[in-house]
Amino acid sequence: MIGFLTVEFFIYEAQSLKDKRSVVQKAVHRLRQRLNIAVSETGHQDLWQRAEISMVTVSSDKIIAEKELQRALAIITSITELEVTRSNIEWL
């Protein structure tokens, strides 16, 4: 199973793209450090208070893959500098 998680979030304190990049890099680094998933910023790259990151995981068991993506979502929502506005899991 291949699972995709796309998360959009809003960064209230960001006053510039530099502020935004700091928060996005923190989220991406934390996800890569704690989980075995691929992570990338995939949308809203020119906006300074909105961001979208996508993650993918591969597993022979859908339940394991879903738990990994749910853990990723929990890590993102635990970051106080951002607020998740939309999340979506898809399967291939």
Side-chain angles (χ1 to χ4, degrees):
M1 292 299 316
I2 300 172
F4 299 94
L5 171 63
T6 303
V7 179
E8 287 186 21
F9 51 89
F10 193 80
I11 306 165
Y12 289 106
E13 301 296 320
Q15 298 298 315
S16 66
L17 285 174
K18 186 176 180 181
D19 293 342
K20 172 192 171 179
R21 296 279 178 254
S22 173
V23 175
V24 170
Q25 287 177 350
K26 177 180 178 179
V28 169
H29 176 73
R30 194 175 287 182
L31 288 164
R32 287 181 179 158
Q33 183 180 24
R34 296 184 183 176
L35 302 173
N36 187 23
I37 59 175
V39 184
S40 181
E41 183 177 5
T42 55
H44 309 300
Q45 293 164 332
D46 57 340
L47 302 175
W48 48 272
Q49 285 189 314
R50 290 183 63 197
E52 176 186 276
I53 59 175
S54 297
M55 292 140 277
V56 66
T57 188
V58 179
S59 176
S60 60
D61 188 353
K62 184 177 179 180
I63 293 171
I64 293 170
E66 187 162 4
K67 285 182 183 179
E68 193 80 352
L69 294 175
Q70 291 296 337
R71 285 179 56 206
L73 185 57
I75 289 170
I76 293 170
T77 57
S78 73
I79 299 172
T80 58
E81 295 93 350
L82 60 86
E83 177 186 341
V84 174
T85 58
R86 185 180 71 83
S87 65
N88 184 40
I89 296 177
E90 297 179 29
W91 299 99
L92 186 64

